[in-house]
Amino acid sequence: MVSSRFAETALVDVLSARRDVSGVSVAAYQLKGEPALKLRLRLTAGSSPSAAVEAASVAVRGLDLVLGTGRPLPVLLEVTGASPARPGADSRVR
């Protein structure tokens, strides 16, 4: 199984340096007995999701090369945008 700590460190180092990414989290799972990752990107307000997805794809391909298993690691990518409301603010309409 892929250590989530190793994958998180590798992917966070690459993706958190981007100005369009405000947060990165990684979790490792077993999928049909094989390792798989869930990569969650939180984007900054107004940033393009396509550029962040491309950067994540490049980072994951680099991780595949480092792992050297010969097969691509399955990765679920979740991209979320910046919240328009302040954290803790009541978002109900008044």
Side-chain angles (χ1 to χ4, degrees):
M1 180 169 166
V2 175
S3 164
S4 63
R5 180 72 62 186
F6 172 76
E8 180 177 16
T9 301
L11 295 173
V12 168
D13 284 352
V14 171
L15 297 171
S16 64
R18 296 180 54 88
R19 294 178 57 193
D20 56 351
V21 175
S22 66
V24 180
S25 66
V26 179
Y29 296 94
Q30 287 288 326
L31 179 65
K32 297 182 181 179
E34 297 292 322
L37 295 177
K38 179 178 180 182
L39 173 60
R40 181 178 294 158
L41 295 179
R42 183 165 184 81
L43 302 181
T44 57
S47 59
S48 167
S50 60
V53 168
E54 180 60 32
S57 295
V58 170
V60 169
R61 283 192 295 262
L63 183 62
D64 284 336
L65 289 174
V66 169
L67 295 175
T69 62
R71 294 187 329 207
L73 185 65
V75 176
L76 171 65
L77 177 61
E78 179 182 354
V79 179
T80 60
S83 174
R86 295 184 325 269
D90 189 0
S91 60
R92 294 178 287 177
V93 176
R94 295 178 193 212

